[in-house]
Structure formats: structure tokens, C-alpha cells
Amino acid sequence: MKMIDVSAKKITEREAIAEGVIYLKSEVIGLIQEKKIPKGDVLEAAKIAGIFAAKKTPEIIPLCHPIPIESAGVEFYLEKDKIRIVSAIKGSAKTGFEMEALSAVTAAALTIYDMCKPLDKDMEISRIRLMKKTGGKSGTYVRK
């Protein structure tokens, strides 16, 4: 095993966008919207967890390069029976931000799960995936 050698690569502007979904009971989504979950504001906690996870990605993913994140965001889209989580990570680096965006979505979903588990044992985290990446030698990728 080894960390991939990126020393010959050029620094370019890069962005990665990932998304995931957590399925919950509609009643629990209502409680989240009303900020009535006993542990507190679920979406604020999940946003902080997601950004923190993006920053800490090289510490939890073996052989992942530590790269300078210049912008990190996590957004939530609430629907009847699910919350869609979207993370966008940007910066200038020799390698991409895909792992950071995926880590952000995952940590945000796990935080929602943790804060809501007393109210819904049937939650399901699903469809965590890269949606778009820009920059670097391989150029732009957009999920179809």
C-alpha cells in the first residue's frame, strides 16, 4: 500500500459535490422542522458534523491526501419521508475533494440518525454518491 504520488500534478481549482439520503418517518421530519427533537437542532448539528468530517477526512480514510479546503457546505432538502443531504467542497489542490464531500454527507446522515434514533428505529441511510467533480487532469464529471 502507498499514498498516490501527486507531486508532479499541477494545483488547480477543484470542487466535488456529493449527496445522500436518509429515510425517516414523516412525523420525525415534522419534529426536525419544528426543532422539537429532544437532543436539539438536528440540521444544525448535522451541518457542523458534515463540515467537521470534510476537514478530518485524511484522519479517517487511510492513504487520503490532506488537502486545503477553501469552502465546505452542507445543505438539506426535506421531503415527506426523507432528507436529501448535499455537500459541496472546494479548493485549490493537486488532487480532488471527492472523499471530503462523501465524508461530509456520511457524517451529516449519521448525525441525523443518532439524534433521531429514539423516535424512529426504521431509519435508513442510502444513495451516498458523487454527483459532480470539477478540476484536475480528468476534467469535469457529472453523474447522469
Side-chain angles (χ1 to χ4, degrees):
M1 277 192 277
K2 66 177 184 173
M3 184 179 274
I4 299 299
D5 184 356
V6 296
S7 61
K9 287 184 162 188
K10 293 188 184 322
I11 294 174
T12 62
E13 292 289 321
R14 298 169 182 263
E15 178 180 27
I17 299 172
E19 77 169 21
V21 175
I22 183 166
Y23 292 90
L24 306 96
K25 293 177 183 171
S26 60
E27 305 83 52
V28 177
I29 291 177
L31 292 172
I32 290 170
Q33 288 175 310
E34 296 168 14
K35 298 183 180 176
K36 291 187 176 177
I37 299 294
K39 281 190 170 184
D41 188 332
V42 173
L43 300 181
E44 281 303 306
K47 182 178 283 198
I48 292 166
I51 293 168
F52 186 77
K55 293 168 57 174
K56 296 293 188 177
T57 298
E59 294 177 29
I60 59 172
I61 305 296
L63 310 177
C64 189
H65 290 87
I67 51 180
I69 294 173
E70 295 171 0
S71 175
V74 178
E75 298 294 328
F76 303 98
Y77 301 91
L78 284 70
E79 298 179 28
K80 179 183 170 228
D81 66 342
K82 66 186 174 191
I83 300 173
R84 189 167 61 97
I85 305 160
V86 178
S87 174
I89 311 294
K90 296 180 190 177
S92 300
K94 293 183 176 189
T95 188
F97 292 91
E98 295 95 315
M99 296 309 301
E100 288 74 9
L102 291 163
S103 293
V105 168
T106 302
L110 289 170
T111 300
I112 294 168
Y113 190 101
D114 178 58
M115 294 183 76
C116 297
K117 68 184 181 231
L119 305 169
D120 187 352
K121 301 289 189 231
D122 292 322
M123 287 180 289
E124 180 181 318
I125 296 170
S126 179
R127 301 184 59 84
I128 296 173
R129 59 204 179 139
L130 179 68
M131 299 306 292
K132 181 180 179 182
K133 75 129 208 115
T134 61
K137 186 177 175 182
S138 64
T140 298
Y141 162 82
V142 178
R143 180 173 294 278
K144 292 178 175 47

